[in-house]
């Protein structure tokens, strides 16, 4: 239990960028901002998980997990973060600590040798070393090992102090941001800068979503200097300190990074989302406005409006045919963080009704937003599977949108389901992504299997079967075109 | 064209459009600092050389793509096979989220398990409070009939004493005094998921059997072991034993828990070995394990009650199934019925029909020790050569046993077992000494892409194909399933080669 970790934890909890934290008394603040965990209730991920998923999308570096083999073994390559180049990040590297290493205190030596071996083998631009519970408890000083290894090899080694027990997934995201700020950002100067350089923080290029955003920015002449961290290269990140504006996504997961970049390099930041049409437009507008405020050419504002008008018109025209099938359909949204509100507005735009949205892993800001955009903001925390099942089975919703761990609960309740977490196979960002989401929703709602699943076996006589009102009218959920 | 509102492109095609390609190329040029393409190619080729292989096998401190999971995963799996049993993993909470995802992605079913969510305070002061609080909440929230406690590394490093904690929690009325809370210490830095399965199963039996009055009866106990195909396999097992008229108890049967129907009812718990049956299993005359490496401690414990014990290596294929049936018949005195003899004949017939296709084909196999042994043995049966057999959680004695298997057949002459190696070693093996096929799990798809050796998915975890686990691979019927899977891959590979220029000479209608 390093002094380092404790002071780091205190510092992270004391986040001046976070309004909620600032409103607390000194004593309250000391307690930290994560809700105390409830032992014995189903639980989400840990700080290591959070740090790893925030950094794993950096595609050209080696990610080395220091600990017993399973932290890496269970989480290795399990998110669809896409790459347009190297796939070094998809390897599962671990020091695979054994009982003997732990008893004899061989962890540090083993880590040093593993770093050297990984560098010799893959020659990456950097190595990220993740701390897990066990080495943290036996006192391995990974910062010292990384320093030493970097001196010896000339390759930057970045320690990520992410012992699992230090907190939840959200906290791990912040630890990741901390590692980037302390060791990566600002270490390389970009070859050139433009007055319209921006960064996006907390976008992980799940199934390639950043590639649906980048063309929009390029049409406006905005350069995406660094996407932190989706499809990132080490060099993008290292030069990110020269951006003019930071856009923060993903529930302020990296708010500490955004704030520190503002303090140190004067980069203003705002929080936005690229899910849904209105949010995409708002994000583009804000980017343009903030860039102009910092000296970008004035005409960017008009050009942004022109682009938005054209893109919106195109997207709405395409969504139109799906309206009929989606209108009034009731959704339970069971996801986390930013998607808890950004997807809400996306769905409301097309006339769907949100019965409930979960606010696990969501910040106070997220919750505020939900209240703003929903007429009847029904927010739920962590819902046990049984309760989720009951709500679906009681015909409270027509479709469940969630991630992998919940999907099968939806199926048991004989309700359509759509994956909107990291295992999904479609990119839903931006204008085009919203159309793709709508098309997928329509497909899911109109699949004949729901009819099948709700019909009793022909030899059973049953009175209480609720017929689905969205049977297969056609193959795509559209009128036959 | 990029993703457009007019025509939504599928993800697999979308990013091959020219606009995206251009974007990627620009990123590469600006940000990757890569040497010239020739140099990159040269290095990539070099990593497939013998020289690199030697360097690779000299690796000491670094594990790359290990093909094993950890003890608590096995413990959660074992506990899931008992009636209304909730797994409670004592330690930091992230681990449990991983187990749930892992099992959910493979079985396509919900998977419930809880954690005592220990944090830094608990690391300093011990996790007693988390146990007291956690058992209370789990009992109240999820109404299980039994809570099976295992541990993560964190609780193991500080040395939490589960037994006294559970006694303490019961004194504080977290759960009723007579409520079963079996436990097992399952540190991830020792062994693998197969060890955890063994520890938890033994822990559960100890909970029921300790101080039991034994009155011997004619039943036998069956331990299936950690098995990604448990849904299909356990049902096949029950069918076979029912055919023979054997009275049996399966110790940890997950086949219903991980395969619940969609009929409008949500089953947080389904099926499994009843607690009553688990209690009575102490009276059995024998305990038979289908996976030796998942059950050493459990069998020792059964032995201490004067039970006869026997263990197998994942009975797949003809001879392995024969041995299993004969042992069951031997212990119970029940005949092997005609029906099974016919099934056996059909499997042998099918193998004979297709022997020309499979004869002399070479295989690389990886997975858990029992599975690798079984697969290699089956491959030898139809004249294939299991060249590289790798188990990250295999031991030296396992490798010896594998060697003895190779020595038993002329087809084993050039085969070798690799205990404790990982999939990056396997990559070197496939690059330097390619085989015709690779048998493993979903993680093998990258080896397939890198080395061009076609992958056949036959073991846990399978995340990128659906429903394989619903079909058995054990027994004669299971053997057919495995055979067909291998044959399909062989023919598909042959036909794919026929699509290349000049390859259509052997692009035949009849195979």
């Amino acid at each position: 239990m390093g002094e380092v970790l404790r002071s780091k934890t205190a510092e992270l909890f004391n986040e001046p960028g976070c309004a909620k934290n600032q409103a607390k008394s000194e004593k309250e603040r000391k307690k930290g901002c994560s809700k105390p965990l409830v032992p014995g209730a189903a639980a989400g991920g840990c700080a290591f998980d959070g740090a790893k998923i925030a950094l794993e999308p950096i595609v050209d570096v080696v990610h080395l997990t220091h600990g017993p083999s399973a932290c890496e073994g269970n989480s290795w390559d399990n998110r669809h973060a896409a790459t347009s180049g190297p796939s070094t990040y998809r390897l599962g590297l671990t020091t695979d600590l054994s009982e003997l290493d732990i008893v004899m205190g061989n962890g540090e030596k083993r880590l040093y040798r593993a770093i050297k071996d990984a560098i010799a083998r893959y020659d990456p631009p950097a190595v990220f070393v993740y701390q897990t519970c066990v080495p943290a408890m036996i006192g391995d000083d990974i910062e010292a090992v990384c320093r030493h290894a970097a001196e010896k090899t000339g390759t930057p080694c970045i320690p990520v102090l992410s012992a699992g027990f230090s907190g939840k997934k959200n906290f791990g995201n912040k630890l990741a941001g901390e590692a980037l700020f302390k060791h990566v950002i600002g270490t390389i100067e970009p070859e050139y800068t433009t007055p319209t350089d921006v960064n996006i923080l907390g976008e992980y290029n799940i199934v390639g979503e950043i590639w649906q955003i980048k063309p929009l920015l390029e049409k406006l002449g905005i350069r995406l200097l660094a996407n932190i961290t989706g499809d990132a290269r080490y060099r993008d990140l290292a030069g990110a300190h020269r951006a003019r504006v930071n856009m923060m996504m993903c529930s302020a997961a990296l708010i500490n990074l955004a704030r520190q970049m503002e303090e140190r390099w004067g980069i203003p930041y705002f929080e936005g989302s690229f899910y849904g049409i209105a949010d995409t437009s708002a994000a583009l507008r804000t980017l343009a406005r903030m860039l102009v405020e910092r000296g970008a050419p004035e005409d960017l504002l008009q050009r942004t409006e022109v682009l938005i008008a054209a893109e919106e018109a195109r997207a709405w025209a395409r969504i139109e045919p799906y309206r009929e099938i989606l209108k009034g359909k009731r959704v339970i949204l069971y996801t986390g963080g930013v998607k808890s509100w950004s997807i809400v507005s996306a769905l409301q735009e097309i006339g769907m009704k949100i019965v409930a949205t979960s606010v696990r892993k969501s910040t106070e800001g997220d919750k505020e937003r939900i209240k703003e955009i929903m007429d009847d903001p029904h927010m739920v925390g962590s819902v046990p599977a049984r309760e989720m099942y009951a709500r679906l089975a009681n015909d409270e919703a027509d479709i469940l949108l969630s991630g992998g761990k919940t999907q099968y609960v939806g199926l048991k309740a004989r309700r359509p389901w759509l994956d909107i977490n990291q295992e999904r196979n479609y990119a839903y960002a931006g204008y085009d992504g919203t159309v793709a989401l709508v098309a997928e929703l329509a497909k899911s709602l109109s699949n004949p299997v729901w009819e099948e699943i709700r019909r009793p076996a022909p030899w059973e006589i049953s009175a209480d079967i609720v017929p689905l009102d969205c049977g297969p009218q056609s193959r795509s959920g559209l009128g036959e075109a | 064209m990029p993703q457009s509102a007019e025509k939504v492109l599928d993800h697999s095609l979308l990013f091959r459009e020219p606009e995206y390609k251009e974007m990627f190329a620009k990123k590469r040029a600006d940000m990757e600092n890569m040497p010239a393409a020739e140099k990159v190619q040269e290095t990539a080729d070099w990593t497939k050389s013998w020289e690199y292989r030697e360097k690779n096998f000299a690796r000491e401190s670094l594990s790359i793509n290990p093909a094993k999971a950890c003890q608590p995963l096995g413990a959660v799996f074992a506990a899931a096979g008992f009636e209304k049993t909730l797994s409670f993993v004592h330690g930091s909470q992230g681990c449990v989220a991983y187990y749930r995802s892992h099992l959910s992605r493979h079985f396509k079913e919900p998977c419930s398990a809880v954690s005592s969510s220990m944090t830094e305070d608990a690391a300093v002061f011990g996790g007693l409070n988390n146990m007291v609080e956690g058992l209370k909440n789990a009992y109240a929230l999820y109404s299980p009939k039994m809570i099976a406690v295992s541990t993560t590394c964190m609780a193991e490093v500080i040395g939490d004493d589960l037994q006294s904690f559970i006694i303490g929690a019961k004194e504080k009325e977290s759960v009723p005094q007579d409520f079963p809370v079996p436990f097992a210490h399952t540190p991830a830095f020792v062994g693998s998921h197969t060890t955890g399965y063994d520890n938890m199963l033994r822990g559960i039996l100890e909970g029921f059997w300790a101080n039991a009055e034994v009155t011997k009866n004619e039943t036998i106990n069956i331990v299936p072991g950690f098995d990604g195909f448990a849904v299909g396999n356990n049902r096949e097992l029950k069918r076979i034993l029912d055919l023979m008229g054997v009275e049996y108890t399966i110790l940890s049967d997950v086949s219903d828990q991980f395969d619940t129907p969609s009929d409008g009812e949500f089953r947080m718990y389904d099926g499994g070995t009843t607690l009553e049956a688990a209690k009575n299993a102490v009276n059995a005359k024998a305990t038979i394990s289908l996976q030796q490496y998942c059950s050493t401690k459990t069998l020792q414990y059964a032995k201490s009650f004067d039970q006869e014990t026997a263990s197998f290596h994942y009975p797949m294929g003809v001879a392995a199934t024969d041995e299993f049936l004969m042992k069951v018949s031997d212990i119970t005195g029940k005949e092997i019925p005609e029906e099974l003899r016919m099934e056996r004949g059909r499997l042998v017939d099918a193998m004979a029909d297709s022997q020309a296709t499979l004869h002399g084909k070479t295989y690389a196999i990886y997975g858990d020790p029992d599975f690798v042994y079984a697969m290699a043995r089956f491959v030898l049966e139809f004249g294939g050569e299991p060249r590289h057999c790798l188990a990250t959680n295999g031991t030296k004695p396992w490798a010896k046993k594998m060697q003895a298997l190779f020595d038993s057949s002329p087809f084993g002459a050039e085969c070798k077992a690799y205990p404790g190696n990982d999939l990056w070693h396997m990559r070197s093996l496939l690059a330097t000494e390619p085989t015709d096929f690779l048998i493993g799990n979903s993680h093998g798809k990258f080896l397939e892409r890198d080395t061009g050796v076609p992958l056949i998915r036959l073991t846990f975890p399978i995340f990128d194909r659906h429903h394989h686990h619903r079909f058995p691979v054990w027994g004669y019927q299971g053997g057919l399933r495995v055979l067909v899977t291998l044959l399909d891959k062989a023919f598909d590979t042959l036909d794919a080669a026929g699509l290349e220029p000049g390859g259509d000479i052997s692009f035949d209608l009849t195979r």
Side-chain angles (χ1 to χ4, degrees):
Chain A
M1 211 62 50
E3 191 49 44
V4 181
L5 178 66
R6 208 185 344 245
S7 62
K8 180 97 277 173
T9 310
E11 192 183 310
L12 279 178
F13 278 146
N14 188 10
E15 174 52 62
C18 169
K20 178 170 191 237
N21 189 46
Q22 291 316 301
K24 287 179 182 170
S25 68
E26 194 56 38
K27 196 167 160 218
E28 283 285 296
R29 213 173 292 160
K30 270 218 168 65
K31 284 187 194 153
C33 49
S34 60
K35 276 197 301 281
L37 304 174
V38 183
C46 59
F48 161 73
D49 190 25
K52 186 92 202 286
I53 60 179
L55 296 174
E56 201 173 66
I58 308 170
V59 298
D60 59 349
V61 303
V62 154
H63 300 274
L64 171 61
T65 304
H66 183 42
S69 91
C71 299
E72 181 62 21
N74 291 327
S75 61
W76 162 45
D77 194 19
N78 71 354
R79 288 168 70 86
H80 291 171
T83 173
S84 59
S87 52
T88 316
Y89 75 113
R90 300 192 77 162
L91 296 161
L93 289 96
T94 166
T95 48
D96 193 0
L97 289 181
S98 68
E99 190 160 30
L100 198 64
D101 293 321
I102 293 163
V103 175
M104 307 303 283
N106 289 337
E108 289 175 359
K109 282 197 196 73
R110 206 176 160 85
L111 173 61
Y112 176 61
R113 285 202 299 264
I115 294 174
K116 274 207 323 196
D117 193 330
I119 291 172
R121 205 166 289 281
Y122 301 108
D123 191 21
V127 178
F128 282 70
V129 178
Y130 299 83
Q131 174 86 305
T132 61
C133 291
V134 170
M137 300 183 80
I138 58 175
D140 282 0
D141 187 347
I142 71 161
E143 284 184 307
V145 175
C146 285
R147 239 191 337 267
H148 181 68
E151 268 167 34
K152 284 276 187 228
T153 60
T155 301
C157 298
I158 289 93
V160 186
L161 298 171
S162 51
F165 57 76
S166 56
K168 286 198 273 204
K169 211 165 173 169
N170 266 9
F171 186 64
N173 296 152
K174 294 190 170 49
L175 290 166
E178 211 54 25
L180 288 176
F181 180 74
K182 209 168 152 185
H183 301 282
V184 183
I185 296 173
T187 55
I188 298 177
E189 286 299 328
E191 277 172 32
Y192 63 96
T193 55
T194 72
T196 55
D197 284 355
V198 299
N199 297 328
I200 297 179
L201 274 57
E203 204 294 337
Y204 305 124
N205 199 32
I206 301 298
V207 286
E209 287 186 334
I210 192 61
W211 303 330
Q212 297 180 314
I213 304 305
K214 229 172 139 177
L216 294 171
L217 300 178
E218 279 169 5
K219 276 181 194 158
L220 296 172
I222 296 175
R223 177 167 79 143
L224 179 55
L225 185 63
N227 186 38
I228 302 174
T229 56
D231 196 26
R233 309 297 185 276
Y234 187 71
R235 283 186 64 195
D236 306 340
L237 299 178
H241 58 300
R242 292 297 173 222
R244 312 288 294 160
V245 174
N246 275 340
M247 172 173 168
M248 188 171 62
M249 286 178 68
C250 191
S251 257
L254 294 174
I255 185 168
N256 55 328
L257 181 59
R259 178 187 50 85
Q260 292 184 93
M261 286 177 81
E262 179 168 50
E263 281 171 11
R264 190 156 156 195
W265 294 292
I267 309 169
Y269 66 89
F270 73 100
E271 188 181 349
S273 150
F274 282 114
Y275 291 117
I277 291 173
D279 283 351
T280 303
S281 301
L284 292 175
R285 275 194 190 102
T286 314
L287 268 176
R289 181 176 53 79
M290 288 173 79
L291 283 168
V292 170
E293 279 167 11
R294 296 207 63 202
E298 283 281 342
D299 70 327
L300 179 59
L301 299 175
Q302 290 83 41
R303 286 190 298 111
T304 306
E305 288 309 324
V306 172
L307 176 86
I308 288 173
E311 289 284 343
E312 283 197 354
R314 207 170 59 102
W316 282 121
R318 188 63 187 104
I319 286 172
E320 204 49 47
Y322 292 103
R323 263 185 201 276
E324 205 41 49
I325 177 167
L326 297 179
K327 210 170 112 201
K329 287 283 181 297
R330 299 153 311 154
V331 183
I332 290 185
L333 189 58
Y334 197 67
T335 172
V338 66
K339 290 201 290 289
S340 57
W341 57 268
S342 56
I343 297 261
V344 167
S345 46
L347 299 177
Q348 286 187 332
E349 277 173 355
I350 49 180
M352 296 179 87
K353 245 181 80 109
I354 315 293
V355 178
T357 177
S358 74
V359 287
R360 309 165 302 156
K361 296 181 276 191
S362 301
T363 61
E364 286 308 305
D366 292 334
K367 292 177 194 167
E368 283 308 310
R369 274 204 177 72
I370 294 171
K371 283 182 194 147
E372 273 165 39
I373 54 179
M374 282 173 71
D375 321 330
D376 171 25
H378 195 89
M379 292 187 258
V380 292
S382 208
V383 179
R386 185 173 294 286
E387 195 180 316
M388 168 74 74
Y389 168 82
R391 307 187 63 159
L392 290 164
N394 291 342
D395 197 34
E396 282 181 39
D398 299 304
I399 186 165
L400 168 70
L401 268 63
S402 74
K405 286 203 291 278
T406 332
Q407 73 182 88
Y408 302 106
V409 178
L411 294 184
K412 299 303 170 204
R414 306 193 278 192
R415 291 287 156 181
W417 170 81
L418 186 65
D419 192 343
I420 54 164
N421 277 14
Q422 66 270 16
E423 291 132 348
R424 66 183 177 270
N425 284 310
Y426 287 86
Y428 296 144
Y431 301 106
D432 294 333
T434 305
V435 178
L437 171 64
V438 168
E440 280 308 301
L441 277 168
K443 262 188 354 199
S444 183
L445 278 164
S446 56
N447 190 303
V449 79
W450 307 118
E451 283 280 283
E452 186 53 50
I453 215 171
R454 313 194 80 202
R455 195 181 299 136
W459 58 86
E460 288 180 319
I461 300 160
S462 172
D464 55 359
I465 299 293
V466 189
L468 260 188
D469 56 355
C470 55
Q473 300 135 1
S474 66
R475 288 177 310 160
S476 61
L478 296 172
E480 286 307 341
Chain B
M1 75 176 180
Q3 183 67 288
S4 83
E6 287 68 40
K7 181 172 190 304
V8 175
L9 284 180
D10 189 80
H11 189 266
S12 66
L13 302 172
L14 174 62
F15 295 117
R16 296 187 211 169
E17 296 290 317
E19 292 84 349
Y20 293 112
K21 279 192 171 148
E22 194 185 325
M23 191 199 308
F24 299 164
K26 195 166 170 309
K27 181 100 178 181
R28 267 198 292 279
D30 290 351
M31 288 297 171
E32 282 175 20
N33 260 10
M34 287 295 269
E38 299 79 49
K39 177 77 186 146
V40 173
Q41 193 51 50
E42 193 186 316
T43 312
D45 293 340
W46 175 73
T47 64
K48 296 179 178 177
S49 66
W50 276 94
E51 187 192 0
Y52 184 87
R53 171 171 163 174
E54 275 150 33
K55 283 188 188 300
N56 192 3
F57 273 83
R59 231 184 322 130
E60 282 178 357
S61 302
L62 181 66
S63 233
I64 307 173
N65 303 353
K68 67 171 184 193
C70 61
Q71 282 211 49
L73 179 79
V76 167
F77 183 92
F82 287 86
E83 174 196 19
K84 290 203 168 169
T85 296
L86 181 69
S87 263
F88 179 101
V89 190
H90 182 54
S92 30
Q93 68 168 36
C95 309
V96 177
Y98 286 142
Y99 312 142
R100 291 176 59 211
S101 304
H102 231 60
L103 294 166
S104 238
R105 286 170 183 171
H106 175 86
F107 288 109
K108 315 279 175 230
E109 288 288 327
C111 171
S112 308
V114 298
S115 154
S116 64
S117 304
M118 281 165 71
T119 53
E120 200 166 349
D121 308 7
V124 178
F125 302 116
L128 176 58
N129 287 343
N130 296 65
M131 180 70 79
V132 173
E133 195 62 23
L135 286 178
K136 190 170 101 203
N137 289 334
Y139 181 75
L141 281 170
Y142 306 112
S143 352
K145 272 179 96 167
M146 173 160 90
I147 296 179
V149 178
S150 51
T151 50
T152 73
C153 296
M154 178 193 181
E156 285 301 320
V157 171
I158 58 176
D160 276 358
D161 179 351
L162 291 182
Q163 182 161 11
S164 71
F165 279 17
I166 291 167
I167 292 171
K170 283 187 171 178
E171 273 166 8
K172 294 209 163 121
E173 295 175 4
S174 297
V175 295
Q177 274 295 353
D178 58 353
F179 184 80
V181 186
F183 63 90
H185 288 275
T186 51
F189 43 79
V190 177
S192 71
H193 53 288
T194 52
T195 329
Y197 180 96
D198 191 15
N199 282 332
M200 190 74 246
L201 186 55
R202 177 173 170 150
I204 289 172
L205 295 182
E206 281 177 340
F208 286 119
W209 293 5
N211 316 321
E213 295 281 321
V214 181
T215 41
K216 277 269 172 275
N217 61 25
E218 284 302 298
T219 60
I220 57 168
N221 299 326
I222 305 269
V223 177
F226 189 100
D227 175 20
F229 280 74
V231 169
N233 278 347
N234 291 5
R235 288 179 184 158
E236 178 63 10
L237 195 61
K238 289 186 265 193
R239 187 186 68 91
I240 291 173
L241 295 169
D242 290 342
L243 274 174
M244 289 176 72
V246 173
E247 285 176 62
Y248 61 92
T249 308
I250 292 186
L251 296 176
S252 178
D253 178 7
V254 298
S255 58
D256 290 343
Q257 178 67 37
F258 290 132
D259 188 20
T260 60
S262 277
D263 59 356
E265 189 189 335
F266 173 65
R267 303 160 172 84
M268 181 165 168
Y269 312 104
D270 194 15
T273 311
T274 62
L275 304 192
E276 198 54 34
K279 206 175 291 174
N280 293 335
V282 72
N283 303 321
K285 64 193 289 197
T287 296
I288 299 177
S289 163
L290 297 186
Q291 294 194 67
Q292 189 190 324
Y293 297 105
C294 289
S295 57
T296 38
K297 293 188 180 118
T298 304
L299 289 190
Q300 269 173 353
Y301 189 60
K303 237 195 196 109
S304 71
F305 289 89
D306 285 338
Q307 295 185 13
E308 191 179 340
T309 58
S311 59
F312 298 89
H313 298 297
Y314 209 82
M316 205 159 60
V318 185
T321 306
D322 292 349
E323 278 171 21
F324 168 65
L325 294 183
M326 288 182 339
K327 188 79 203 175
V328 172
S329 167
D330 186 41
I331 291 176
T332 59
K334 303 277 182 191
E335 298 268 308
I336 300 174
E338 181 61 7
E339 197 164 338
L340 287 174
R341 200 182 69 86
M342 297 298 278
E343 281 177 20
R344 181 179 190 279
R346 289 175 196 133
L347 172 62
V348 174
D349 178 67
M351 284 162 69
D353 292 344
S354 313
Q355 53 81 28
T357 309
L358 295 174
H359 185 106
K361 289 275 187 290
T362 57
Y363 300 82
I365 302 168
Y366 72 88
D368 287 344
D370 288 294
F371 168 79
V372 174
Y373 187 93
M375 197 67 238
R377 187 176 183 184
F378 192 19
V379 162
L380 289 170
E381 272 185 338
F382 49 70
E385 302 179 22
R387 286 280 170 84
H388 316 305
C389 293
L390 181 145
T392 306
N393 46 354
T395 54
K396 286 206 173 76
W398 167 81
K400 264 209 183 87
K401 205 156 184 171
M402 290 297 296
Q403 195 51 52
L405 174 69
F406 301 146
D407 293 344
S408 71
S409 161
F411 290 95
E414 292 179 64
C415 303
K416 189 168 175 328
Y418 296 90
N421 295 94
D422 55 40
L423 297 187
W424 196 254
H425 292 120
M426 181 59 103
R427 183 178 179 273
S428 273
L429 295 175
L430 292 173
T432 47
E433 299 180 84
T435 51
D436 293 319
F437 301 105
L438 167 66
I439 299 178
N441 56 27
S442 290
H443 286 303
K445 72 194 295 184
F446 297 94
L447 293 170
E448 178 179 43
R449 197 176 60 175
D450 262 8
T451 60
V453 179
L455 168 70
I456 299 162
R457 295 163 179 81
L458 276 169
T459 189
F460 181 90
I462 298 173
F463 295 149
D464 63 341
R465 293 290 183 272
H466 294 191
H467 311 312
H468 288 204
H469 64 273
R470 296 174 194 263
F471 299 92
V473 295
W474 283 349
Y476 303 125
Q477 294 298 87
L480 271 179
R481 172 87 197 163
V482 175
L483 185 70
V484 169
T485 308
L486 297 177
L487 283 166
D488 278 352
K489 191 53 120 181
F491 292 133
D492 284 348
T493 310
L494 213 54
D495 282 346
L499 300 177
E500 291 161 17
D504 55 358
I505 292 171
S506 63
F507 191 70
D508 291 334
L509 174 63
T510 313
R511 293 283 190 197

